[in-house]
Amino acid sequence: MKTIRLTAAQAMMRYLANQLNEDGDAYIAGVWAIFGHGNVAGIGEALYGIRDELPTYRGQNEQSMAHAAIAYAKQLGRRRAMAVTSSIGPGALNMVTAAALAHVNRLPVLFIPGDVFANRGPDPVLQQIEDFGDGTVSVNDCFKPVSRYFDRIMRPEHLLTALPRAMRTLTDPADCGPVTLAFCQDVQAEAYDYPESFFHKKTWRFRRPEPDAFEFEAAVDALKAAKNPVIVAGGGVHFSGATETLRAFVEKHRIPVVETQAGKSALAWDHEFNFGPVGVTGCESANIVSGKADLVLGIGTRFQDFTTGSWALFKNPARKILALNVQAYDSAKHDAIPLVADAKVGLEKLSAALGDHAFASPDAGLKASWFAKADAVTAAPVDANTLPTDMQVIGAVQRASRDNTVVMCAAGTMPGELHQLWKAKLPLSYHMEYGFSCMGYEIAGGLGIKMAEPDRDVIVMVGDGSYMMMNSELATAVGMGVKLTLVITDNRGYGCINRLQMGTGGAEFNNLYAHSNVSPIGIDFAAHAASMGAKSHKVSSIAELETALDAAREATETTVIVIDTDPYPTPEAGGHWWDVAVPEVSGRPEVNTARAAYEAALKERS
């Protein structure tokens, strides 16, 4: 057997560079890296040696680098991924939040944090945390609950089993999610005689599981027995590449479709059978058909709390749930009829089994009524002297967008209102991280999207709160020449949570600057963005915003547009009840009133 002598770090990077996807592209498209004492000597040297085959990108924060990597994978439907490396200690822990985000959203990313010395010579090494009762623990054990696969590389030959297991997890449609390979820093530098065959190019194919015969028969029977079915399209429709299959299915069998945050854009917004966004952040048309449905066919959705209106939305007493999902865990939720299969394969087989069976078309007037209301709240304001709403900002961005535009966001006010109001035309033109609703994902995520699809026009919608939390990858985008358009809506605090606080009877407290012990500080976001190299504008009206957006589209550099907005208005129509517990005891009458309403809603759900 021919061997090649490499350090463990060199072997890892050479192996990763030779893993291909079905299209012949390198599956690991690059490595994001911030070097420290725990990875600079071993991994840093290895990445330098292979930099022409496996590019290295340097970000500003380990968490935001990982967000960029995760967004990259999501935008490409999980067909490619990236790795992220850090030193031991704080750098590694910075990535744990991003690992949780990837875990919740079922997205592939490879974390390679430096770890302690396997030989325990310099123990405790710089930044090593000690568990007084367990000598095997390091900070990287924090990755275990938020990783789909975790391993600690304590000998060079561990890579021979750990790396194939990592790739299997990253490319598995059911188990897909973050992988953590905690890499002991002395082992990174140790040499070993690896088999040359270990580094042969390998293609990883994305399997499409077929449905079990018994489950499939039960699913077909349930569909045929239904009178008013509805399809809940989740992110699995995109990951399966099943958008066209879904369109053909609903056109043939005439079933209305409602979309989750992850599933939005599975059908064009103006398709006859797309009844819009569902759940707490959904619209009237989608929630009405969902409430009447006697069969809810979930496709690639994990039936998250927001999607289901805390399980108060699907209220037909005869309602059954049929869950088509590649992950058995998700298909068995809430006593659903499970159909464990790939979304595309499952829909094709269901359609064949149904034959010409078609259902009564839903009331098209519901959809027309909703969009009339949506158009009214997104229209430009009549009074240009008042602060615009976030809804009006969305309308301006919508009017400036094109078919190749990707609008993206993650947390705060915008996710709910974009879900309700944005008109997504093409698949993957709506990119929302709302599984974890992680503030700070936005700018780094926009960078990852643009790296994944350079020809797309990427518009990042971000509130002042999220911008303040994590903005440093704006400098990275500028430095890499990656063009983004950022729209910063400044409502002077956490407007979304302030409204939730008010809605549950709470006093306005500690969310808007005006109601906290921090005085309104008048941050000049345009100047801050300009200091990082972006072209920036502060606009004072929707008309000025539209002019700035037109200029940004023609520009070659990253543009940041800042606009002040009113923190209070939201769409009066749409939405659904959400289970947010209200205190049982309070000296404030507003809280007691909210508690009474909450208890009434709980009784209605039960």
Side-chain angles (χ1 to χ4, degrees), residues 334-603:
H334 298 282
D335 199 29
I337 300 168
L339 183 59
V340 180
D342 170 73
K344 188 174 188 296
V345 169
L347 281 173
E348 289 171 346
K349 289 187 172 294
L350 284 174
S351 186
L354 288 173
D356 294 329
H357 188 93
F359 299 89
S361 298
D363 182 3
L366 289 173
K367 181 174 178 177
S369 174
W370 165 251
F371 279 109
K373 294 175 182 177
D375 290 344
V377 297
T378 55
V382 176
D383 184 357
N385 295 318
T386 60
L387 279 177
T389 67
D390 291 304
M391 299 167 276
Q392 291 164 341
V393 171
I394 290 172
V397 175
Q398 182 86 69
R399 291 187 290 274
S401 69
R402 299 294 182 265
D403 283 351
N404 76 327
T405 297
V406 178
V407 66
M408 70 85 61
C409 192
T413 296
M414 279 296 171
E417 297 191 2
L418 283 167
H419 192 211
Q420 282 190 333
L421 304 172
W422 188 260
K423 299 174 179 176
K425 188 70 175 177
L426 296 177
L428 296 172
S429 62
Y430 179 87
H431 184 117
M432 185 65 63
E433 194 296 289
Y434 212 48
F436 208 47
S437 187
C438 185
M439 295 177 69
Y441 175 87
E442 295 90 344
I443 296 173
L447 172 59
I449 294 168
K450 188 69 173 180
M451 292 175 71
E453 294 193 299
D455 294 334
R456 299 294 283 265
D457 173 35
V458 180
I459 299 180
V460 177
M461 307 285 282
V462 58
D464 57 302
S466 278
Y467 183 89
M468 287 293 289
M469 193 166 287
M470 191 167 291
N471 55 58
S472 56
E473 300 311 339
L474 177 59
T476 305
V478 171
M480 291 175 61
V482 176
K483 179 196 168 184
L484 303 174
T485 300
L486 270 67
V487 177
I488 302 175
T489 53
D490 183 3
N491 60 21
R492 298 152 303 283
Y494 300 143
C496 174
I497 296 301
N498 188 62
R499 291 192 301 273
L500 178 60
Q501 188 174 51
M502 295 169 64
T504 54
E508 294 185 74
F509 174 63
N510 202 46
N511 286 312
L512 300 183
Y513 286 123
H515 309 130
S516 72
N517 62 3
V518 177
S519 300
I521 47 185
I523 301 162
D524 190 338
F525 291 105
H528 184 268
S531 74
M532 289 194 281
K535 188 174 183 179
S536 63
H537 309 274
K538 175 67 182 286
V539 300
S540 59
S541 68
I542 293 297
E544 289 183 13
L545 173 60
E546 296 198 40
T547 300
L549 285 166
D550 288 339
R553 189 174 59 251
E554 302 304 321
T556 58
E557 67 270 65
T558 288
T559 301
V560 175
I561 307 169
V562 184
I563 185 168
D564 291 340
T565 58
D566 189 331
Y568 293 104
T570 57
E572 294 183 5
H576 194 272
W577 179 78
W578 181 34
D579 191 343
V580 178
V582 179
E584 284 192 68
V585 178
S586 174
R588 301 184 65 252
E590 297 90 343
V591 175
N592 295 329
T593 300
R595 177 69 194 190
Y598 174 68
E599 291 177 353
L602 288 177
K603 288 180 181 179

Side-chain angles (χ1 to χ4, degrees), residues 217-227 295 350 352-355 357 359:
E217 183 180 358
V220 173
D221 289 345
L223 272 168
K224 286 182 175 180
K227 301 297 182 185
L295 181 71
L350 284 174
L354 288 173
H357 188 93
F359 299 89

Side-chain angles (χ1 to χ4, degrees), residues 37 72 123 186 235 275 392 470 518:
H37 77 89
Y72 179 94
D123 190 26
D186 54 339
F275 273 68
Q392 291 164 341
M470 191 167 291
V518 177

Side-chain angles (χ1 to χ4, degrees), residues 106 302-304 311 321 323 328-336:
R106 279 64 165 172
R302 61 194 181 98
F303 284 114
Q304 187 249 18
W311 289 99
I321 295 173
Y329 180 88
D330 290 321
S331 72
K333 288 178 178 175
H334 298 282
D335 199 29

Side-chain angles (χ1 to χ4, degrees), residues 30-378:
V31 181
W32 287 93
I34 290 178
F35 294 136
H37 77 89
N39 66 344
V40 66
I43 290 175
E45 171 65 14
L47 286 171
Y48 177 80
I50 202 170
R51 64 193 182 280
D52 293 333
E53 300 170 58
L54 184 65
T56 298
Y57 303 104
R58 211 218 85 167
Q60 315 303 325
N61 179 285
E62 291 87 357
Q63 181 186 147
S64 55
M65 289 193 311
H67 288 334
I70 292 163
Y72 179 94
K74 180 175 181 176
Q75 190 62 27
L76 292 178
R78 306 195 300 196
R79 296 305 188 190
R80 301 185 76 186
M82 288 181 160
V84 192
T85 181
S86 75
S87 66
I88 182 178
L93 287 175
N94 280 348
M95 298 193 295
V96 173
T97 296
L101 184 153
H103 192 287
V104 167
N105 289 286
R106 279 64 165 172
L107 293 170
V109 59
L110 175 59
F111 293 102
I112 313 171
D115 211 318
V116 299
F117 272 63
N119 65 24
R120 302 194 183 180
D123 190 26
V125 73
L126 179 64
Q127 296 183 324
Q128 178 178 347
I129 193 167
E130 295 179 281
D131 186 309
F132 304 145
D134 188 342
T136 68
V137 169
S138 81
V139 298
N140 290 329
D141 288 89
C142 295
F143 283 95
K144 288 182 177 179
V146 291
S147 296
R148 287 287 187 171
Y149 177 73
F150 177 93
D151 209 340
R152 180 170 276 114
I153 310 304
M154 301 181 70
R155 293 178 60 90
E157 60 267 39
H158 284 181
L159 295 178
L160 295 171
T161 51
L163 285 171
R165 290 172 182 171
M167 285 299 303
R168 184 208 67 81
T169 304
L170 293 169
T171 59
D172 187 272
D175 290 341
C176 183
V179 168
T180 300
L181 299 181
F183 208 165
C184 291
Q185 52 196 287
D186 54 339
V187 178
Q188 294 175 29
E190 290 180 19
Y192 182 78
D193 294 318
Y194 291 93
E196 282 191 353
S197 59
F198 187 60
F199 305 106
H200 291 171
K201 290 189 180 297
K202 178 174 181 177
T203 299
W204 292 84
R205 304 198 178 277
F206 305 98
R207 68 171 65 90
R208 293 187 178 276
E210 303 265 339
D212 169 79
F214 178 83
E215 288 186 355
F216 183 73
E217 183 180 358
V220 173
D221 289 345
L223 272 168
K224 286 182 175 180
K227 301 297 182 185
N228 296 300
V230 66
I231 290 173
V232 179
V237 176
H238 292 295
F239 297 148
S240 175
T243 55
E244 279 301 301
T245 307
L246 174 65
R247 181 190 59 77
F249 183 88
V250 300
E251 288 176 357
K252 180 179 179 182
H253 304 293
R254 307 189 70 77
I255 303 176
V257 173
V258 298
E259 295 176 318
T260 70
Q261 285 277 15
K264 192 174 172 77
S265 78
L267 278 183
W269 73 274
D270 55 355
H271 189 280
E272 176 187 2
F273 289 100
N274 187 344
F275 273 68
V278 67
V280 174
T281 57
C283 68
E284 288 178 337
S285 52
N287 287 344
I288 288 172
V289 298
S290 297
K292 293 180 178 179
D294 60 353
L295 181 71
V296 179
L297 171 55
I299 304 174
T301 176
R302 61 194 181 98
F303 284 114
Q304 187 249 18
D305 184 43
F306 256 51
T307 297
T308 65
S310 299
W311 289 99
L313 177 59
F314 306 121
K315 52 192 175 186
N316 185 330
R319 178 265 296 160
K320 293 181 179 179
I321 295 173
L322 170 59
L324 169 55
N325 203 295
V326 74
Q327 173 54 261
Y329 180 88
D330 290 321
S331 72
K333 288 178 178 175
H334 298 282
D335 199 29
I337 300 168
L339 183 59
V340 180
D342 170 73
K344 188 174 188 296
V345 169
L347 281 173
E348 289 171 346
K349 289 187 172 294
L350 284 174
S351 186
L354 288 173
D356 294 329
H357 188 93
F359 299 89
S361 298
D363 182 3
L366 289 173
K367 181 174 178 177
S369 174
W370 165 251
F371 279 109
K373 294 175 182 177
D375 290 344
V377 297
T378 55

